[in-house]
Amino acid sequence: MKNRNQQIRNQQARTRRSERRTDALSKERIVEAAIDILDADGENALTFRALAARLSTGSGAIYWHVADKNELLTAATDAIIGRVVTDVAADAGPDQAIRAFALGLFDAIDAHPWVGTHLFREPWQAAMLEIFEAIGGRLQALGVPEEALFNAGSALVNYILGVAGQNAANARLLPQGTDRSAALGAVAASWTELDPARYPFVHHLATKLSDHDDREQFLAGIDLILAGIGTIGRTDRGS
Amino acid sequence: MKNRNQQIRNQQARTRRSERRTDALSKERIVEAAIDILDADGENALTFRALAARLSTGSGAIYWHVADKNELLTAATDAIIGRVVTDVAADAGPDQAIRAFALGLFDAIDAHPWVGTHLFREPWQAAMLEIFEAIGGRLQALGVPEEALFNAGSALVNYILGVAGQNAANARLLPQGTDRSAALGAVAASWTELDPARYPFVHHLATKLSDHDDREQFLAGIDLILAGIGTIGRTDRGS
DNA sequence: ACCTGAACACCGTTCAAGT
DNA sequence: ACCTGAACACCGTTCAAGT
């Protein structure tokens, strides 16, 4: 792709130049500004016009550094996920490391819900590979048998992605500083109005919804899957 | 031209106006046409202009029956999920029923990938409640203890949603009748170019990617989570 | 009650023109 | 090399006007 050549050229030019000019446009500054907008005002607020205004330039200038909106979101996502990967690098046993990494991912996506959306936009992007590597490597260390590795890693990653996507949806529904418990209460109330004969389980959920903790529940799901993975090798290792 | 005759016939039909006329606009017909467009040409092809053209009307006419695009997609999603729920109604043991329902969901979303996208757009929509009820009810029947029900159901649903979202992303990437195995091969090849010291697990995946089956892997994940859920009650029931 | 289609506000993206 | 900003092609949605 010619865009890659352009990027390389840009980088060479940038290092050649003296990089003390703080107000010079660069991919990093653009991505940084994009993250700020996404965090402050949500996914819909990120437009090239808003971005150009914030950077005091024209929208065309942004296209010199970034191919399109997708590349912009990919770079922003990579930045967030990258931090998680490096932050949780060193840790104790592999199962604890998986839990810690998953929690780090949860917290990052909770703080930047738009990441949850973008992880679904482009499959097999760099961020996804980082996630797979972080989890899969630790499953190997955990002693998961060769043939089960792909399925086990895929189960964990897909579960994490599902939660991430739901978090993003909730953030879109309850923007800024909406009263979360009031909103949850309203949802639960609407569930109790459904036919109890057809929706008994949803009625049960309605009673639990208000005092459940998303983060705790996320971790419980991770533990459930890890427990399931633990049953794979049981015949091998006995007990 | 036969167009003139058609126009006259339409006008007569309109003045006659018995409401079982097939060409009368209705929410059902609109949703049906929307599903056709989504299935045939993908998520981006569904615009009010395209929909109006296919229904031989103005875009404003659609707004008389449907509030906005979100309601349209929600109705389309409900239609697809509703079929799955009723199709898998009767079945054997609760764990087999969960597997059957999950597989039905997988197949439906595989056939209509845009459903996977929309399930993330609006949280707690009707389709989501159907899914929760179908799975949660069977977890109850399975004997999962009261306190673990919410977490267990949430783990299964989030996993299913994660897979659904990935499927939708893949469908977006490989539209129509792209050569799937060639595309997978290209992805795997790109992975082998990564630094093996930093990405050992991704390298391992690259060797497995070509001959893995999405549906099988999906079911393996369901079984993993069910196995994990099975470990919850172990102390209660002994063995 | 229901339909028509032009118009509005807003996007992502391009590009001739500037420095 | 890099930036400017008008212009283009397209959206979802609205609305005065028709039947």
Side-chain angles (χ1 to χ4, degrees), chain B residues 49-95:
Chain B
R49 275 163 249 260
L51 196 52
R54 172 181 262 261
L55 293 166
S56 320
T57 182
S59 58
I62 298 171
Y63 279 92
W64 177 261
H65 299 274
V66 157
D68 53 20
K69 191 170 185 179
N70 197 55
E71 183 183 314
L72 183 59
L73 283 166
T74 297
T77 299
D78 286 352
I80 303 294
I81 300 295
R83 285 178 217 161
V84 178
V85 172
T86 57
D87 281 5
V88 197
D91 228 305
D95 53 343

Side-chain angles (χ1 to χ4, degrees), chain B residues 21 59 113 140 151 160 170 205 236:
Chain B
R21 292 272 322 165
S59 58
Q140 267 173 320
N151 285 350
I160 291 170
N170 283 326
L205 285 193
D236 295 327

Side-chain angles (χ1 to χ4, degrees), chain A residues 20-173:
Chain A
R20 58 207 139 117
R21 282 197 46 98
T22 333
D23 60 340
L25 217 47
S26 67
K27 185 167 177 182
E28 290 104 60
R29 278 196 64 228
I30 292 171
V31 170
E32 193 182 312
I35 292 178
D36 286 347
I37 292 175
L38 287 163
D39 286 346
D41 301 311
E43 307 173 23
N44 292 334
L46 181 65
T47 68
F48 276 81
R49 274 163 248 261
L51 195 53
R54 173 181 261 260
L55 293 165
S56 322
T57 183
S59 58
I62 297 170
Y63 279 92
W64 179 261
H65 299 275
V66 158
D68 53 20
K69 192 170 183 180
N70 198 56
E71 182 182 315
L72 183 58
L73 282 166
T74 298
T77 299
D78 287 351
I80 304 293
I81 300 295
R83 284 179 216 160
V84 179
V85 172
T86 57
D87 282 5
V88 197
D91 227 306
D95 52 343
Q96 283 307 311
I98 288 176
R99 289 171 47 112
F101 176 72
L103 264 188
L105 226 41
F106 179 89
D107 289 338
I109 293 172
D110 199 50
H112 314 279
W114 47 271
V115 171
T117 302
H118 189 68
L119 284 174
F120 285 109
R121 300 279 320 163
E122 202 176 354
W124 305 126
Q125 58 188 290
M128 199 78 87
L129 291 188
E130 297 287 348
I131 295 173
F132 252 107
E133 184 64 43
I135 287 177
R138 274 135 185 171
L139 286 175
Q140 267 173 319
L142 205 67
V144 173
E146 179 88 1
E147 334 79 58
L149 264 180
F150 194 3
N151 285 349
S154 151
L156 279 167
V157 171
N158 277 308
Y159 168 72
I160 291 169
L161 289 180
V163 175
Q166 280 303 107
N167 265 23
N170 283 326
R172 234 177 284 123
L173 191 72

Side-chain angles (χ1 to χ4, degrees), chain B residues 160-175:
Chain B
I160 291 170
L161 289 180
V163 174
Q166 279 303 106
N167 266 22
N170 283 326
R172 233 177 284 124
L173 191 72
L174 319 169

